[in-house]
Amino acid sequence: MTPALNAFLERFAELKGDANGWLQSKSRYPTLTLPAKHKDVGPLCIDDNGDELTLEVGTKHHTHFSGYNYDGDSDDSRLLAAAHDAARFAIDVIADRVCITTDYLDDRCIGCSHFYLDAENVTADTVRDSLIGVRGGNIRSDRFLWSSPLQVNGG
């Protein structure tokens, strides 16, 4: 395991109380995977390509935590800072504090984004009834939390 993934797990455990459930593997890069809570959302994966950590939520969304975005006296120290922020984001995702939106034009994915529920004054219970993150028109926006996909009521 890389130093950055170790730092991710340590920070994750510090914030959450444990880091159980993460599985280590190596596909293209060293990767940690938390199995899916809901099969339609998919697993949470974080990989270390040496310059940045990439956190993926199933095949629907990914977020980069680049060492270049942090202050530090070395590439390693900046990547460790990125690992700490990635751990905090992962905890927010699994606590259903982050809504992921994937946009499609016909059947072609044209983008994805995420937003924090509290920043939009919605909760996991009320986000279904909101149109936050939904583009509309001829663009279909699928939204989900870690725990489940969301369907817009009436849509």
Side-chain angles (χ1 to χ4, degrees), residues 24-102:
Q24 184 179 346
S25 65
K26 183 171 180 168
S27 48
R28 185 170 176 200
Y29 302 113
T31 303
L32 293 170
T33 301
L34 188 64
K37 184 170 185 178
H38 191 284
K39 67 178 179 60
D40 292 338
V41 175
L44 193 63
C45 300
I46 184 159
D47 69 54
D48 178 359
N49 75 10
D51 294 324
E52 69 180 4
L53 299 173
T54 304
L55 191 137
E56 297 177 357
V57 183
T59 59
K60 303 176 184 311
H61 181 67
H62 68 273
T63 300
H64 300 274
F65 295 88
S66 174
Y68 300 117
N69 294 330
Y70 296 86
D71 293 329
D73 55 1
S74 70
D75 290 344
D76 290 340
S77 68
R78 288 189 292 273
L79 195 55
L80 295 179
H84 284 201
D85 282 353
R88 182 173 293 120
F89 182 74
I91 286 171
D92 289 342
V93 168
I94 65 173
D96 281 347
R97 291 191 285 260
V98 177
C99 182
I100 307 293
T101 301
T102 308

